[in-house]
Amino acid sequence: MAEHRSMQRAALLDAARSLLSEGGTEALTFPALAERTGLARSSVYEYFRSRAAVVEELCAVDFPVWAAEVEAAMAAADGPEAKIEAYVRQQLALVGDRRHRAVVAISASELDAGAREKIRAAHGGLVTMIAETLGAMGHHEPRLTAMLLQGVVDAAVRRIELGAAEDPAAITEAAVAMALRGVRGRA
């Protein structure tokens, strides 16, 4: 019975990812989740008490996976500038990933405190890694610089998500160039 429940919970989360990818947070409704999974709407409420609870669980499950992929790319890079480039490139490479599309949709929405806390925790490790790299480069305010760097990444993610006129590869190159110029200039 417990295994069946965990399978249904996983199916609900997967349906939630699809809905978020297709239509953002507005698309994530209990009737839509019920329809996608073939469960009765009342059954959806047995697993999650609200949309916020669905989002919070997705944050807890998906953000750490996404963060680990970015951390692995940074760890494989040789030298501080290469680590910063990997940090930017890997996040932008994950925009097309279905799991990451849900993460992007969640990030763009108004979140309750629980979800925001889960995202902050996942992002925390990344910001710490970047701040350490920036510190090694001689930055006086590495955490501030790390936050501004993430702002460049977030803007590039939104640009790619919007299907902007530019090719995603061009957006990635521009973001990498801006990030590298920016971190060189502030040390």
Side-chain angles (χ1 to χ4, degrees), residues 2 6 16 22 63 109 113-114 116 158 164:
S6 87
E22 292 157 20
F63 268 87
S109 67
R116 270 200 311 273
R158 277 193 300 278

Side-chain angles (χ1 to χ4, degrees), residues 23-91:
T25 42
E26 299 77 47
L28 181 61
T29 65
F30 278 29
L33 281 172
E35 192 181 315
R36 287 281 167 109
T37 54
L39 292 169
R41 202 181 310 181
S42 57
S43 298
V44 179
Y45 282 100
E46 287 174 32
Y47 292 93
F48 299 104
R49 59 188 188 289
S50 64
R51 268 174 26 145
V54 178
V55 167
E56 197 172 322
E57 181 135 346
L58 274 175
C59 291
V61 173
D62 290 359
F63 268 87
V65 172
W66 170 84
E69 289 180 34
V70 177
E71 281 186 27
M74 284 179 71
D78 195 21
E81 285 198 9
K83 286 186 187 311
I84 286 161
E85 182 169 344
Y87 175 80
V88 175
R89 279 191 192 282
Q90 188 63 28
Q91 287 191 66

Side-chain angles (χ1 to χ4, degrees), residues 91-178:
Q91 287 191 66
L92 297 180
L94 290 171
V95 174
D97 182 291
R98 200 167 69 83
R99 246 187 349 224
H100 185 56
R101 290 185 65 84
V103 163
V104 170
I106 291 167
S107 300
S109 67
E110 288 301 309
L111 296 173
D112 70 345
R116 270 200 311 273
E117 196 41 57
K118 296 230 174 11
I119 292 171
R120 247 198 308 277
H123 265 279
L126 285 177
V127 171
T128 300
M129 279 184 82
I130 275 293
E132 284 168 4
T133 301
L134 292 165
M137 291 172 78
H139 279 261
H140 305 302
E141 296 181 75
R143 280 197 85 77
L144 171 62
T145 306
M147 295 300 180
L148 296 174
L149 176 62
Q150 185 59 44
V152 169
V153 174
D154 292 343
V157 165
R158 277 193 300 278
R159 194 102 189 122
I160 292 169
E161 276 291 305
L162 288 169
E166 309 86 6
D167 180 56
I171 295 169
T172 299
E173 293 313 314
V176 167
M178 186 174 269

